[in-house]
Amino acid sequence: FSERGVPARSFIRCYRISWFISNGWYSPALKNRMRELNKWPPPEKYTKSDWLSWTQADAELNRVILEYCQYMRQQLKDTMDANTAEDFRHSKDPTDRVLWHMRSEEP
């Protein structure tokens, strides 16, 4: 993930392709749709005839990303001691502030 919370394009592309393969929707024509394979977040509506498979792949990808984020937030909560928490709480660094806010958000 980038600092802004965007997943890596290569992950998005590879996950979608693996989903298409494992669910019987793979087509060699996907090689001509790299822009769509790399795009995140996905469009609100797909316009091609295979819109259903793309929508299903994106729903599964959303689920995987959400699970990962919940796991990492829990790890952040579980592994931070009081001294480190105090440092984050009073830090002026923007990244530290984002991490502190994420840690204290309720799931």
Side-chain angles (χ1 to χ4, degrees):
F1 288 92
S2 72
E3 278 187 12
R4 294 174 48 203
V6 178
R9 286 184 192 169
S10 59
F11 172 75
I12 298 299
R13 179 181 59 245
C14 291
Y15 192 90
R16 283 177 171 152
I17 291 171
S18 73
W19 189 92
F20 292 138
I21 290 170
S22 57
N23 288 280
W25 289 93
Y26 178 77
S27 164
L30 286 174
K31 70 180 180 189
N32 299 323
R33 296 177 73 180
M34 281 299 180
R35 197 176 111 253
E36 290 170 279
L37 285 167
N38 287 332
K39 183 172 175 49
W40 195 261
E44 287 187 27
K45 183 177 181 180
Y46 286 104
T47 57
K48 307 262 189 210
S49 62
D50 58 354
W51 64 269
L52 180 60
S53 63
W54 282 76
T55 302
Q56 290 174 336
D58 290 343
E60 182 62 17
L61 185 50
N62 266 331
R63 186 191 64 74
V64 167
I65 290 171
L66 180 60
E67 274 183 13
Y68 175 77
C69 290
Q70 288 171 338
Y71 172 76
M72 293 308 293
R73 180 183 293 139
Q74 192 60 48
Q75 286 291 100
L76 190 59
K77 286 181 180 181
D78 293 346
T79 60
M80 191 177 287
D81 64 20
N83 291 335
T84 306
E86 195 64 26
D87 289 343
F88 272 100
R89 187 178 296 117
H90 299 294
S91 177
K92 301 294 183 209
D93 181 70
T95 303
D96 288 351
R97 296 177 72 85
V98 168
L99 285 172
W100 178 253
H101 178 72
M102 283 176 49
R103 180 188 179 276
S104 58
E105 280 181 356
E106 291 300 317

